[in-house]
Amino acid sequence: MDEHALLGLNPNADATYRQRALAYFEQLKDSQDAWQVCAEALVKGLYNDDHVKFFCFQVLEHQIKFRHGELSAVQQQLIRETLMKWLQLQLNAQPEKAFIRNKAAQVFALAFVTEYLTQWPKFFFDILALIGLNPRGVDLYLRTLMAIDAEVVDRDILHSSEETRRNTLIKDTMREQCIPSLVESWYQILHTFQHSHFELTCQCLEVVGAYVSWIDLNLIANDRFVNLLLSHMSVEVLREEACDCLFEIINKGMDPVDKTKLVESLCQVLQTAGFFNVEQEEDVDFLAKFSKLVNGMGQSLVVSWTKLTKAGDLKSSQETLQAVEAKVPLMLRLLVHEDDDISANIVGFCYDYLHVLKQLPLLTDQQKANIEAIMVAVMKKLTYDDEYNFENEGEDEAMFVEYRKQLKLLLDRLAQVSPELLLDSVRRVFNTTMQSWQTVPFMEVEVAIRLLYMLGEALPAHQGAHFSGDVAKASTLQDMMRTLVTCGVSEYQHTSVTLEFFETVVRYDKFFIVEPQHIPNVLMAFLDQRGLRNGSPKVRSRVAYLLSRFVKTLHKHMNAYIEDILNRIQDLLELSPPENGYPTLLTSDDQLFVFETAGVLIVGSECAAERKQALMRNLLTPLMERFKLLLGKLLQEQDEERQAALADCLNHAVGFASRTSKAFSNKQTVKQCGCSEVYRDCLETFVPALSCPVQREALRSGVRTFLHRMIICLEEEVLPFIPAASEHMLKDCEAKDLQEFIPLINQITTKFKGQVSPFLQQVFMPLVQAFFQVLAQPAEENDQTAALEKQMLRRSYFAFIQTITSNASVNEVIANQGAENIERVLFTIIQGAVDFPDPVAQRTCFIILSKLVEHWGGKDGLVGFPDFIYKHIVPACFLAPLKPTFDLSDAQTILTLSECALTLKMIHIKRGPEFIQYLQQEYLPSLQVTPDITQELCQVLQQPDSKVLKNYIKAFFQRAKL
């Protein structure tokens, strides 16, 4: 072997050696017999270096996996002998490192999968005969069994249909030939090593758990085997693995009556052995496994009960239900256990049990008591513990949040089984806690409010109408909400309680429509040190969002306080300067919500239009003034980092102004509120930033978004600003600028149609030329990013042409560009339809061609256009689908083909019999289409139903491509 290359296998080797080792590996893989050198090295123990041994197994693995069919019978035999000789060497040698043993097990498993059904039916017998009960041999045997499980059984690994068929055959053959012997070997291993080699015993339990799902259960679920497993349940180092093994046995699919018997017999033994006394058990890791086992038993019984009930076997289903009920006390003890992992593992059974109760016509007193006990348990377990770190949430906190989500599902299910009981329980806990919140620990106060919050989803109401309809529910919720907002709990000094208070107030915002007298107090909580001025950034941030939601729902009830609110939040609406470095109360993202809130209050108020305009001007003028000042600074700033900070700040100003406009609606337009002038002033302030030579991308992005918004809000009043804005944006533009500019032009064209024709007339060719320039820029052949950028740019260009051709009043824009320019544009459309293998762009091109034919293809159309139809559009409709890249099995391509068919249809509508004659006599014969098919196609073209044409065209090209 190449010793120098082998040096590169060491992870610490330098890059040159590693490169050489990689090349050597490729060389050995490709060679017909070089692998034999590796086989010899393994059998003779020529190398002590672990990385070289691993490397040799990798080479063997490649041979078996990819080249087995090419090997001669002698070479295949050599691989078998190599593996067995290597195994024999291991029996008395120092054990190899775990990673080498695992790799060896993978290679054994591959050899098994490849040869068991043909050349090596005695695979297991050969191994068992060789290793006996040698611990090192047993270790490799068990690892090999797990590797075989991964290859043949593991459902998480995707297999081809061929592999699935092979795996089924392997399992069937194993069941017939060797499974009883394997099970016997497992029993012997467990029995022999249970006191001396705990690791081997655990490995063997894992193997039993993995194989039990597809072998005959009677081989395992018998006194001899189960007693052995139960004895392991009392050995500290074995019991977790034994628990997992029993769980797999319980999980095996089987007849419902048999499953109930199996679970009950196992339960009886576990109970007799004292395992149900979970309070006395201190080992939480074992209890988590045990909880999972009980959960498996409970869920299995529920599945059996469901099957028996469906089958109408009342006697057996009743017995199974009794078996389920008998497990409930244990389930409850595990559910309330202080360790959340133990509790989380039993939630599934708990959930399924409630589902069973939901289906029963009448509940017994005991079942009602069980529901209540689950409810109490859920309420207790929802509570935060002392260790929860609210300021710096890590992995433990994330796990508790996930666990809370599981408990929430239980609460929702409880609501379905007994809504009255849930409502009553929450009311009791809530009222008791709120009466003395000043002296109660934060976690109890938080959970009391949290339960009220959770009722909102557990007891659903249409569009949040919790305070109408069901009187009992409405009045209970109303009482609790009144208590929440009047008892003073919003003053509680803990972030979790504060957040829960505001979340609940906003969830039940419809309460304030029923009792609006509480709005001022709650607004004060939002605005003072409890909310927007809280010491915690997390609370301030969330409250900024929640206040915007609260105001959106209730602004009609806030008229009396609007100016007071605006005064109180004024300092929070200031644009934080980039230079002072002082921490601000709110981030710019939070400020967006505060600006939106201010906008909603102003627009939704009952003031006269003049007052609204004055208030909006007060809100936006400071932004405009700061914008002008900062833009001046940016133009003089030399430092790049400072430039970026200033551009960021300018963008925030634009974003805030934009956000205030979200308050307008169809009923309350900018014009009706008298605010047009303010937003026009904003445009006048912001548009000059488009010509700023530094930080162009950032500034253009912000201003462009504002323009999009103003097109909707200001309608035609925005039009005077568009030419100047466009001129700035088209200056020195790059691919990205163009791509982002086109949606703006498309929006204007679609919205204002003929009104913008003069502007489009003027901008059309400069814009088209800008596209041509950017697309013509050379790019490296393998530059995927540049290729994708050009593809997206082409799509933008075609989308632009499509928008123009789709609007009849705008369509003349192209017609007035002069013959040479028109021709140039038309050829780009033909090229896009035929030459570029991008079905999205091709489809757009055919839509454009169809529209152009509709506008210009008739008697009074564009001079010379009929000639263009026959010379270029008709050939495009046939040449594009005939391209090898035009994939007729791709959904997007089929959409393109449909547009292609509609283009042909449009030509027929506009040119009539002349077109049919051209196809019959000239064009189709030139493509060597037979007269029969030509006749057929022409007939279909003349039918009124375009669906028939689409189907025919697809079949036509499928035949043509055979």
Side-chain angles (χ1 to χ4, degrees), residues 466-505:
H466 288 285
F467 304 97
S468 56
D470 179 346
V471 180
K473 176 190 143 189
S475 64
T476 305
L477 279 172
Q478 205 166 320
D479 291 346
M480 285 195 275
M481 277 304 293
R482 192 181 309 113
T483 303
L484 179 72
V485 297
T486 55
C487 74
V489 74
S490 61
E491 300 279 357
Y492 201 104
Q493 297 296 301
H494 195 282
T495 54
S496 69
V497 176
T498 308
L499 281 170
E500 210 54 68
F501 171 81
F502 286 114
E503 295 282 358
T504 307
V505 160

mmCIF file of all heavy atoms in Angstrom, residues 466-505:
data_model
loop_
_atom_site.group_PDB
_atom_site.id
_atom_site.type_symbol
_atom_site.label_atom_id
_atom_site.label_comp_id
_atom_site.label_asym_id
_atom_site.label_seq_id
_atom_site.Cartn_x
_atom_site.Cartn_y
_atom_site.Cartn_z
ATOM 1 N N HIS A 466 -66.387 35.926 22.633
ATOM 2 C CA HIS A 466 -66.533 35.138 23.873
ATOM 3 C C HIS A 466 -67.597 35.718 24.798
ATOM 4 O O HIS A 466 -67.989 35.081 25.771
ATOM 5 C CB HIS A 466 -65.194 35.112 24.630
ATOM 6 C CG HIS A 466 -64.167 34.251 23.959
ATOM 7 N ND1 HIS A 466 -64.208 32.874 23.995
ATOM 8 C CD2 HIS A 466 -63.075 34.571 23.218
ATOM 9 C CE1 HIS A 466 -63.184 32.393 23.326
ATOM 10 N NE2 HIS A 466 -62.479 33.383 22.833
ATOM 11 N N PHE A 467 -68.039 36.956 24.515
ATOM 12 C CA PHE A 467 -68.897 37.638 25.478
ATOM 13 C C PHE A 467 -70.331 37.769 24.973
ATOM 14 O O PHE A 467 -71.065 38.675 25.345
ATOM 15 C CB PHE A 467 -68.275 38.989 25.838
ATOM 16 C CG PHE A 467 -66.878 38.811 26.356
ATOM 17 C CD1 PHE A 467 -65.785 38.964 25.507
ATOM 18 C CD2 PHE A 467 -66.660 38.405 27.658
ATOM 19 C CE1 PHE A 467 -64.497 38.739 25.969
ATOM 20 C CE2 PHE A 467 -65.372 38.183 28.135
ATOM 21 C CZ PHE A 467 -64.292 38.345 27.294
ATOM 22 N N SER A 468 -70.696 36.841 24.086
ATOM 23 C CA SER A 468 -72.094 36.778 23.641
ATOM 24 C C SER A 468 -72.401 35.306 23.425
ATOM 25 O O SER A 468 -71.514 34.467 23.460
ATOM 26 C CB SER A 468 -72.259 37.560 22.331
ATOM 27 O OG SER A 468 -71.349 37.058 21.370
ATOM 28 N N GLY A 469 -73.650 34.971 23.197
ATOM 29 C CA GLY A 469 -73.999 33.557 22.969
ATOM 30 C C GLY A 469 -74.227 32.853 24.290
ATOM 31 O O GLY A 469 -75.040 33.289 25.108
ATOM 32 N N ASP A 470 -73.488 31.772 24.555
ATOM 33 C CA ASP A 470 -73.631 30.945 25.760
ATOM 34 C C ASP A 470 -73.501 31.835 27.023
ATOM 35 O O ASP A 470 -72.415 32.297 27.369
ATOM 36 C CB ASP A 470 -72.539 29.866 25.737
ATOM 37 C CG ASP A 470 -72.597 28.959 26.962
ATOM 38 O OD1 ASP A 470 -73.293 29.322 27.924
ATOM 39 O OD2 ASP A 470 -71.945 27.904 26.960
ATOM 40 N N VAL A 471 -74.626 32.036 27.717
ATOM 41 C CA VAL A 471 -74.667 33.020 28.815
ATOM 42 C C VAL A 471 -73.738 32.628 29.959
ATOM 43 O O VAL A 471 -72.976 33.458 30.472
ATOM 44 C CB VAL A 471 -76.124 33.179 29.347
ATOM 45 C CG1 VAL A 471 -76.179 34.193 30.489
ATOM 46 C CG2 VAL A 471 -77.035 33.605 28.211
ATOM 47 N N ALA A 472 -73.754 31.338 30.346
ATOM 48 C CA ALA A 472 -72.939 30.894 31.491
ATOM 49 C C ALA A 472 -71.458 31.142 31.206
ATOM 50 O O ALA A 472 -70.729 31.702 32.034
ATOM 51 C CB ALA A 472 -73.180 29.415 31.753
ATOM 52 N N LYS A 473 -71.040 30.744 30.010
ATOM 53 C CA LYS A 473 -69.631 30.917 29.635
ATOM 54 C C LYS A 473 -69.287 32.403 29.535
ATOM 55 O O LYS A 473 -68.274 32.858 30.077
ATOM 56 C CB LYS A 473 -69.366 30.223 28.289
ATOM 57 C CG LYS A 473 -67.958 30.416 27.769
ATOM 58 C CD LYS A 473 -67.853 29.917 26.334
ATOM 59 C CE LYS A 473 -66.925 30.823 25.568
ATOM 60 N NZ LYS A 473 -66.873 30.616 24.165
ATOM 61 N N ALA A 474 -70.159 33.171 28.850
ATOM 62 C CA ALA A 474 -69.885 34.591 28.633
ATOM 63 C C ALA A 474 -69.770 35.325 29.958
ATOM 64 O O ALA A 474 -68.839 36.107 30.172
ATOM 65 C CB ALA A 474 -70.972 35.211 27.769
ATOM 66 N N SER A 475 -70.697 35.037 30.890
ATOM 67 C CA SER A 475 -70.675 35.799 32.150
ATOM 68 C C SER A 475 -69.477 35.374 33.004
ATOM 69 O O SER A 475 -68.868 36.212 33.668
ATOM 70 C CB SER A 475 -71.989 35.632 32.913
ATOM 71 O OG SER A 475 -72.125 34.282 33.293
ATOM 72 N N THR A 476 -69.101 34.090 32.975
ATOM 73 C CA THR A 476 -67.924 33.644 33.751
ATOM 74 C C THR A 476 -66.664 34.324 33.228
ATOM 75 O O THR A 476 -65.864 34.855 33.997
ATOM 76 C CB THR A 476 -67.775 32.106 33.656
ATOM 77 O OG1 THR A 476 -68.996 31.500 34.067
ATOM 78 C CG2 THR A 476 -66.648 31.615 34.537
ATOM 79 N N LEU A 477 -66.491 34.314 31.902
ATOM 80 C CA LEU A 477 -65.310 34.946 31.300
ATOM 81 C C LEU A 477 -65.323 36.451 31.569
ATOM 82 O O LEU A 477 -64.286 37.052 31.861
ATOM 83 C CB LEU A 477 -65.275 34.691 29.788
ATOM 84 C CG LEU A 477 -64.732 33.326 29.342
ATOM 85 C CD1 LEU A 477 -64.935 33.155 27.842
ATOM 86 C CD2 LEU A 477 -63.251 33.176 29.667
ATOM 87 N N GLN A 478 -66.532 37.046 31.502
ATOM 88 C CA GLN A 478 -66.651 38.491 31.716
ATOM 89 C C GLN A 478 -66.256 38.846 33.162
ATOM 90 O O GLN A 478 -65.523 39.814 33.390
ATOM 91 C CB GLN A 478 -68.093 38.918 31.423
ATOM 92 C CG GLN A 478 -68.215 40.379 31.031
ATOM 93 C CD GLN A 478 -69.594 40.666 30.429
ATOM 94 O OE1 GLN A 478 -70.109 39.863 29.667
ATOM 95 N NE2 GLN A 478 -70.183 41.794 30.788
ATOM 96 N N ASP A 479 -66.704 38.026 34.099
ATOM 97 C CA ASP A 479 -66.356 38.256 35.520
ATOM 98 C C ASP A 479 -64.848 38.175 35.710
ATOM 99 O O ASP A 479 -64.253 39.009 36.402
ATOM 100 C CB ASP A 479 -67.034 37.213 36.420
ATOM 101 C CG ASP A 479 -68.549 37.409 36.488
ATOM 102 O OD1 ASP A 479 -69.015 38.493 36.069
ATOM 103 O OD2 ASP A 479 -69.247 36.481 36.935
ATOM 104 N N MET A 480 -64.232 37.148 35.088
ATOM 105 C CA MET A 480 -62.776 36.974 35.250
ATOM 106 C C MET A 480 -62.015 38.133 34.617
ATOM 107 O O MET A 480 -61.039 38.631 35.175
ATOM 108 C CB MET A 480 -62.324 35.630 34.653
ATOM 109 C CG MET A 480 -62.702 34.445 35.507
ATOM 110 S SD MET A 480 -61.824 32.931 35.043
ATOM 111 C CE MET A 480 -62.829 32.313 33.729
ATOM 112 N N MET A 481 -62.459 38.583 33.443
ATOM 113 C CA MET A 481 -61.790 39.709 32.781
ATOM 114 C C MET A 481 -61.930 40.988 33.613
ATOM 115 O O MET A 481 -60.977 41.758 33.754
ATOM 116 C CB MET A 481 -62.363 39.930 31.377
ATOM 117 C CG MET A 481 -61.770 39.042 30.308
ATOM 118 S SD MET A 481 -59.978 39.152 30.185
ATOM 119 C CE MET A 481 -59.764 40.833 29.598
ATOM 120 N N ARG A 482 -63.117 41.184 34.190
ATOM 121 C CA ARG A 482 -63.338 42.382 35.020
ATOM 122 C C ARG A 482 -62.386 42.345 36.215
ATOM 123 O O ARG A 482 -61.737 43.344 36.560
ATOM 124 C CB ARG A 482 -64.796 42.433 35.473
ATOM 125 C CG ARG A 482 -65.192 43.779 36.093
ATOM 126 C CD ARG A 482 -66.639 43.810 36.565
ATOM 127 N NE ARG A 482 -67.577 43.369 35.537
ATOM 128 C CZ ARG A 482 -68.299 42.244 35.612
ATOM 129 N NH1 ARG A 482 -68.205 41.455 36.670
ATOM 130 N NH2 ARG A 482 -69.116 41.894 34.647
ATOM 131 N N THR A 483 -62.280 41.159 36.818
ATOM 132 C CA THR A 483 -61.351 41.000 37.950
ATOM 133 C C THR A 483 -59.918 41.301 37.517
ATOM 134 O O THR A 483 -59.182 42.017 38.192
ATOM 135 C CB THR A 483 -61.438 39.554 38.490
ATOM 136 O OG1 THR A 483 -62.787 39.291 38.857
ATOM 137 C CG2 THR A 483 -60.521 39.339 39.676
ATOM 138 N N LEU A 484 -59.536 40.748 36.354
ATOM 139 C CA LEU A 484 -58.157 40.917 35.866
ATOM 140 C C LEU A 484 -57.791 42.393 35.742
ATOM 141 O O LEU A 484 -56.700 42.804 36.153
ATOM 142 C CB LEU A 484 -57.989 40.218 34.503
ATOM 143 C CG LEU A 484 -56.604 40.340 33.867
ATOM 144 C CD1 LEU A 484 -55.583 39.484 34.607
ATOM 145 C CD2 LEU A 484 -56.627 39.929 32.390
ATOM 146 N N VAL A 485 -58.719 43.209 35.181
ATOM 147 C CA VAL A 485 -58.344 44.599 34.882
ATOM 148 C C VAL A 485 -58.625 45.551 36.041
ATOM 149 O O VAL A 485 -58.217 46.708 35.997
ATOM 150 C CB VAL A 485 -59.026 45.118 33.581
ATOM 151 C CG1 VAL A 485 -58.555 44.319 32.395
ATOM 152 C CG2 VAL A 485 -60.538 45.099 33.684
ATOM 153 N N THR A 486 -59.295 45.033 37.100
ATOM 154 C CA THR A 486 -59.589 45.950 38.223
ATOM 155 C C THR A 486 -58.828 45.586 39.497
ATOM 156 O O THR A 486 -58.744 46.404 40.413
ATOM 157 C CB THR A 486 -61.104 45.969 38.547
ATOM 158 O OG1 THR A 486 -61.526 44.616 38.799
ATOM 159 C CG2 THR A 486 -61.915 46.559 37.417
ATOM 160 N N CYS A 487 -58.295 44.380 39.587
ATOM 161 C CA CYS A 487 -57.699 43.951 40.867
ATOM 162 C C CYS A 487 -56.284 44.492 41.075
ATOM 163 O O CYS A 487 -55.678 44.283 42.117
ATOM 164 C CB CYS A 487 -57.692 42.431 40.985
ATOM 165 S SG CYS A 487 -56.446 41.651 39.930
ATOM 166 N N GLY A 488 -55.718 45.137 40.037
ATOM 167 C CA GLY A 488 -54.392 45.741 40.204
ATOM 168 C C GLY A 488 -53.225 44.823 39.899
ATOM 169 O O GLY A 488 -52.063 45.177 40.113
ATOM 170 N N VAL A 489 -53.499 43.610 39.399
ATOM 171 C CA VAL A 489 -52.419 42.635 39.163
ATOM 172 C C VAL A 489 -51.439 43.114 38.078
ATOM 173 O O VAL A 489 -50.309 42.645 37.996
ATOM 174 C CB VAL A 489 -53.010 41.237 38.815
ATOM 175 C CG1 VAL A 489 -53.563 41.212 37.405
ATOM 176 C CG2 VAL A 489 -51.955 40.144 38.994
ATOM 177 N N SER A 490 -51.868 44.099 37.275
ATOM 178 C CA SER A 490 -50.945 44.611 36.240
ATOM 179 C C SER A 490 -49.723 45.281 36.888
ATOM 180 O O SER A 490 -48.708 45.510 36.230
ATOM 181 C CB SER A 490 -51.661 45.614 35.325
ATOM 182 O OG SER A 490 -52.122 46.717 36.090
ATOM 183 N N GLU A 491 -49.801 45.579 38.185
ATOM 184 C CA GLU A 491 -48.681 46.195 38.907
ATOM 185 C C GLU A 491 -47.652 45.155 39.356
ATOM 186 O O GLU A 491 -46.604 45.508 39.880
ATOM 187 C CB GLU A 491 -49.204 46.921 40.175
ATOM 188 C CG GLU A 491 -50.204 48.019 39.911
ATOM 189 C CD GLU A 491 -49.536 49.333 39.501
ATOM 190 O OE1 GLU A 491 -48.294 49.381 39.486
ATOM 191 O OE2 GLU A 491 -50.279 50.289 39.188
ATOM 192 N N TYR A 492 -47.974 43.860 39.204
ATOM 193 C CA TYR A 492 -47.074 42.797 39.705
ATOM 194 C C TYR A 492 -45.689 42.936 39.076
ATOM 195 O O TYR A 492 -45.558 43.092 37.864
ATOM 196 C CB TYR A 492 -47.659 41.408 39.386
ATOM 197 C CG TYR A 492 -47.094 40.326 40.280
ATOM 198 C CD1 TYR A 492 -47.842 39.817 41.325
ATOM 199 C CD2 TYR A 492 -45.800 39.834 40.113
ATOM 200 C CE1 TYR A 492 -47.337 38.833 42.174
ATOM 201 C CE2 TYR A 492 -45.287 38.855 40.952
ATOM 202 C CZ TYR A 492 -46.054 38.364 41.980
ATOM 203 O OH TYR A 492 -45.542 37.393 42.824
ATOM 204 N N GLN A 493 -44.658 42.855 39.922
ATOM 205 C CA GLN A 493 -43.295 43.116 39.445
ATOM 206 C C GLN A 493 -42.598 41.844 38.951
ATOM 207 O O GLN A 493 -41.633 41.380 39.554
ATOM 208 C CB GLN A 493 -42.474 43.757 40.575
ATOM 209 C CG GLN A 493 -42.984 45.109 41.038
ATOM 210 C CD GLN A 493 -42.895 46.163 39.932
ATOM 211 O OE1 GLN A 493 -41.829 46.442 39.419
ATOM 212 N NE2 GLN A 493 -44.033 46.736 39.551
ATOM 213 N N HIS A 494 -43.123 41.248 37.914
ATOM 214 C CA HIS A 494 -42.405 40.116 37.280
ATOM 215 C C HIS A 494 -42.771 40.081 35.801
ATOM 216 O O HIS A 494 -43.945 40.152 35.443
ATOM 217 C CB HIS A 494 -42.762 38.775 37.932
ATOM 218 C CG HIS A 494 -41.797 37.683 37.563
ATOM 219 N ND1 HIS A 494 -41.835 37.028 36.359
ATOM 220 C CD2 HIS A 494 -40.730 37.163 38.224
ATOM 221 C CE1 HIS A 494 -40.847 36.142 36.292
ATOM 222 N NE2 HIS A 494 -40.159 36.201 37.414
ATOM 223 N N THR A 495 -41.760 39.970 34.948
ATOM 224 C CA THR A 495 -42.027 40.056 33.495
ATOM 225 C C THR A 495 -43.045 39.023 33.031
ATOM 226 O O THR A 495 -43.877 39.325 32.176
ATOM 227 C CB THR A 495 -40.737 39.869 32.679
ATOM 228 O OG1 THR A 495 -40.123 38.647 33.066
ATOM 229 C CG2 THR A 495 -39.761 40.994 32.886
ATOM 230 N N SER A 496 -42.994 37.801 33.580
ATOM 231 C CA SER A 496 -43.907 36.751 33.082
ATOM 232 C C SER A 496 -45.359 37.126 33.366
ATOM 233 O O SER A 496 -46.252 36.903 32.548
ATOM 234 C CB SER A 496 -43.570 35.395 33.709
ATOM 235 O OG SER A 496 -43.895 35.391 35.079
ATOM 236 N N VAL A 497 -45.608 37.724 34.556
ATOM 237 C CA VAL A 497 -46.978 38.126 34.915
ATOM 238 C C VAL A 497 -47.411 39.313 34.036
ATOM 239 O O VAL A 497 -48.527 39.334 33.496
ATOM 240 C CB VAL A 497 -47.058 38.506 36.414
ATOM 241 C CG1 VAL A 497 -48.455 39.013 36.769
ATOM 242 C CG2 VAL A 497 -46.699 37.290 37.273
ATOM 243 N N THR A 498 -46.501 40.273 33.870
ATOM 244 C CA THR A 498 -46.803 41.457 33.059
ATOM 245 C C THR A 498 -47.186 41.051 31.633
ATOM 246 O O THR A 498 -48.203 41.499 31.090
ATOM 247 C CB THR A 498 -45.581 42.396 33.014
ATOM 248 O OG1 THR A 498 -45.159 42.638 34.344
ATOM 249 C CG2 THR A 498 -45.903 43.703 32.335
ATOM 250 N N LEU A 499 -46.337 40.202 31.035
ATOM 251 C CA LEU A 499 -46.604 39.763 29.650
ATOM 252 C C LEU A 499 -47.930 39.029 29.564
ATOM 253 O O LEU A 499 -48.717 39.254 28.647
ATOM 254 C CB LEU A 499 -45.470 38.860 29.147
ATOM 255 C CG LEU A 499 -44.205 39.586 28.700
ATOM 256 C CD1 LEU A 499 -43.070 38.601 28.466
ATOM 257 C CD2 LEU A 499 -44.459 40.372 27.411
ATOM 258 N N GLU A 500 -48.194 38.143 30.534
ATOM 259 C CA GLU A 500 -49.437 37.358 30.494
ATOM 260 C C GLU A 500 -50.641 38.275 30.625
ATOM 261 O O GLU A 500 -51.671 38.066 29.990
ATOM 262 C CB GLU A 500 -49.409 36.314 31.623
ATOM 263 C CG GLU A 500 -50.169 35.051 31.315
ATOM 264 C CD GLU A 500 -49.763 34.388 30.018
ATOM 265 O OE1 GLU A 500 -48.637 33.870 29.912
ATOM 266 O OE2 GLU A 500 -50.584 34.391 29.085
ATOM 267 N N PHE A 501 -50.516 39.325 31.440
ATOM 268 C CA PHE A 501 -51.608 40.297 31.607
ATOM 269 C C PHE A 501 -51.940 40.936 30.260
ATOM 270 O O PHE A 501 -53.098 40.950 29.823
ATOM 271 C CB PHE A 501 -51.198 41.377 32.629
ATOM 272 C CG PHE A 501 -52.171 42.528 32.686
ATOM 273 C CD1 PHE A 501 -53.352 42.440 33.411
ATOM 274 C CD2 PHE A 501 -51.920 43.715 31.984
ATOM 275 C CE1 PHE A 501 -54.260 43.506 33.447
ATOM 276 C CE2 PHE A 501 -52.826 44.779 32.025
ATOM 277 C CZ PHE A 501 -53.996 44.670 32.751
ATOM 278 N N PHE A 502 -50.920 41.462 29.565
ATOM 279 C CA PHE A 502 -51.188 42.160 28.295
ATOM 280 C C PHE A 502 -51.663 41.188 27.212
ATOM 281 O O PHE A 502 -52.547 41.528 26.426
ATOM 282 C CB PHE A 502 -49.943 42.925 27.837
ATOM 283 C CG PHE A 502 -49.685 44.172 28.632
ATOM 284 C CD1 PHE A 502 -48.559 44.282 29.448
ATOM 285 C CD2 PHE A 502 -50.576 45.238 28.595
ATOM 286 C CE1 PHE A 502 -48.318 45.430 30.194
ATOM 287 C CE2 PHE A 502 -50.354 46.391 29.335
ATOM 288 C CZ PHE A 502 -49.226 46.486 30.147
ATOM 289 N N GLU A 503 -51.079 39.994 27.156
ATOM 290 C CA GLU A 503 -51.511 38.993 26.163
ATOM 291 C C GLU A 503 -53.001 38.681 26.350
ATOM 292 O O GLU A 503 -53.760 38.571 25.383
ATOM 293 C CB GLU A 503 -50.701 37.679 26.308
ATOM 294 C CG GLU A 503 -49.224 37.790 26.009
ATOM 295 C CD GLU A 503 -48.884 37.815 24.520
ATOM 296 O OE1 GLU A 503 -49.805 37.714 23.676
ATOM 297 O OE2 GLU A 503 -47.687 37.959 24.207
ATOM 298 N N THR A 504 -53.415 38.553 27.624
ATOM 299 C CA THR A 504 -54.806 38.167 27.917
ATOM 300 C C THR A 504 -55.758 39.318 27.596
ATOM 301 O O THR A 504 -56.838 39.116 27.032
ATOM 302 C CB THR A 504 -54.929 37.722 29.389
ATOM 303 O OG1 THR A 504 -53.938 36.721 29.632
ATOM 304 C CG2 THR A 504 -56.296 37.151 29.690
ATOM 305 N N VAL A 505 -55.344 40.529 27.940
ATOM 306 C CA VAL A 505 -56.163 41.711 27.636
ATOM 307 C C VAL A 505 -56.432 41.790 26.132
ATOM 308 O O VAL A 505 -57.552 42.081 25.694
ATOM 309 C CB VAL A 505 -55.425 42.988 28.136
ATOM 310 C CG1 VAL A 505 -55.944 44.222 27.437
ATOM 311 C CG2 VAL A 505 -55.600 43.115 29.635
#
